Amino acid sequence: MDNGISKRKAQRIEEKIAQMREDQEMEAVREIIEFNKTPFELKTDMDRFVIGQEHGKKIMCTAIAFHYRRLGQALKKGMADSGGDIDIALRNTKTPKANIMIIGPTGCGKTYTSETASNLVGVSFVHEDMTRFSEVGYVGQNASDILVDLLQAAGGNPNVARMGIVYFDEIDKIASETIAYKDVSGRGVQKGLLHMVDGSENTVHLGKERISLSTQHVLFIAGGAFENLDTIVKKRMARQGIEGDWRHHLTADDLVEFGMERQLVGRFPVRVVYDQLTIRDLKNIMTQSQGSALLAYTHDLKAWGIDLELTEDALTEVARRAETERTGARGLVSILHRVLLEDMYRLPGNFTGKFVVDQNTVRERLG
Ligand SMILES: Nc1ncnc2c1ncn2[C@@H]1O[C@H](COP(=O)(O)OP(=O)(O)OP(=O)(O)O)[C@@H](O)[C@H]1O
Ligand SMILES: [Mg+2]
């Protein structure tokens, strides 16, 4: 009878999992249906995390708020029409979407903005490194890898995955004609993505399971540094006698000249150019961003009764050093770590109270 009990048990567990999935799905749909943040509100929330990039954040938040508001409203109607069947509602919901391309130097917040947006909206997020694709250059297999990742991020729930955000990092590395990457497979990889970005119906093979997963409502964001893209734009502007900031004059043609497939560029109609972070931005990131490494260290030390404080000069010194590294805000983490490592090792258990780090300390520690 052992077998019978375990069978019953197994069945109960399966039912429980199915119920949990259904609840999760219902919750995800409800969250989208009730999504009512205006672009302004979404940006206000975003400002707590992403510092600077004012112009870029406006465009991003507008595109994302519109996408999910539109999807939510359509889903609401779909749910009413289908008598509350999520599957049918999602299938019958037809909304146009505007995928986003973010261009900007390394470590300036492209991925961070996208991931923060997914958290704020409450949808799944996957991050795909496109350099992997140019190395392998095998299209079919990898495109479906992305869907498997998305499904995993959605807790194995296809209907949750269908409403998520997919972020293509280093999209510029699959350009076909760039000087640095003479990658013959780039073109093929780009073509392979078209279908998915468009919003196709796909079948994902997960072990023995075959799961159908449509990308129709998935928001795709592609980010890259696009080194020397500015030169291409500025040259064209000069040829055409156009004056002004190149970032406001970027066209699809410029991206095609860079080496992107026109068909792919056309599927990312919202284009955002992020700025190099200034010393002031870097300082503000340390003191204001909720994702700040400094705030995390401060918080950690507090647990040992230590109140860490960096003087204004010390903050400027760290920001200045990070700026010369040209790795954006990523530099802050390693520099702060180098500055504080010794104290974080030595102080807990030996010291309590206020601990001030000034400019001299920073200079000493960094040499
Ligand atoms: N504008 C910003 N405000 C706050 N934190 C930032 C900002 N930019 C970057 N960061 C911090 O630096 C980290 C790296 O940034 P992110 O991953 O967004 O870089 P990226 O622009 O995608 O660069 P890459 O082109 O190298 O992928 C983030 O996780 C975040 O902690
Ligand atoms: Mg990135």
Side-chain angles (χ1 to χ4, degrees), residues 49-53 104-113 127 167 169-170 223-225 274 277 285 289 291-292 327-330 333:
F49 299 88
V50 181
I51 307 296
Q53 313 297 10
T106 184
C108 71
K110 301 184 295 293
T111 309
Y112 190 45
T113 308
H127 174 266
Y167 184 85
D169 210 349
E170 308 213 43
Y274 267 23
L277 295 167
I285 286 173
S289 170
S292 148
T327 53
R330 282 209 187 88
V333 182

Side-chain angles (χ1 to χ4, degrees), residues 186-205:
R187 203 185 188 93
V189 177
Q190 291 189 59
K191 295 250 184 209
L193 293 175
L194 294 179
H195 197 51
M196 187 186 341
V197 172
D198 252 352
S200 51
E201 192 66 52
N202 308 274
T203 306
V204 183
H205 300 263

Side-chain angles (χ1 to χ4, degrees), residues 57 235 247 331:
K57 278 190 296 189
K235 260 194 199 150
R247 290 169 298 188

Side-chain angles (χ1 to χ4, degrees), residues 17-75:
I17 291 175
Q19 185 61 47
M20 269 165 62
R21 267 196 186 180
E22 220 170 272
D23 291 349
Q24 185 204 16
E25 196 175 75
M26 212 49 218
E27 173 65 23
V29 168
R30 196 186 50 79
E31 200 142 354
I32 304 269
I33 287 180
E34 287 174 5
F35 178 82
N36 66 354
K37 279 201 177 100
T38 63
F40 179 84
E41 285 165 345
L42 187 60
K43 182 179 168 297
T44 307
D45 286 347
M46 185 75 82
D47 289 343
R48 291 189 283 126
F49 299 88
V50 181
I51 307 296
Q53 313 297 10
E54 286 305 311
H55 184 65
K57 278 190 296 189
K58 267 189 203 164
I59 303 175
M60 287 283 289
C61 291
T62 307
I64 293 167
F66 269 71
H67 176 78
Y68 284 105
R69 181 70 177 162
R70 190 187 293 144
L71 177 58
Q73 294 298 294
L75 260 179

Side-chain angles (χ1 to χ4, degrees), residues 226-281:
F226 289 89
E227 226 165 290
N228 295 325
L229 177 64
D230 57 332
T231 316
I232 292 175
V233 184
K234 284 176 196 161
K235 260 194 199 150
R236 179 186 50 79
M237 285 169 69
R239 255 196 333 266
Q240 299 175 338
I242 301 167
E243 283 180 13
D245 188 338
W246 73 270
R247 290 169 298 188
H248 300 152
H249 293 276
L250 175 69
T251 64
D253 285 340
D254 300 320
L255 289 162
V256 171
E257 177 153 356
F258 183 90
M260 303 306 293
E261 287 295 310
R262 188 173 294 279
Q263 289 156 298
L264 192 66
V265 169
R267 282 158 174 82
F268 290 86
V270 179
R271 290 176 205 121
V272 189
V273 183
Y274 267 23
D275 304 314
Q276 182 99 46
L277 295 167
T278 63
I279 293 180
R280 174 191 285 269
D281 290 331

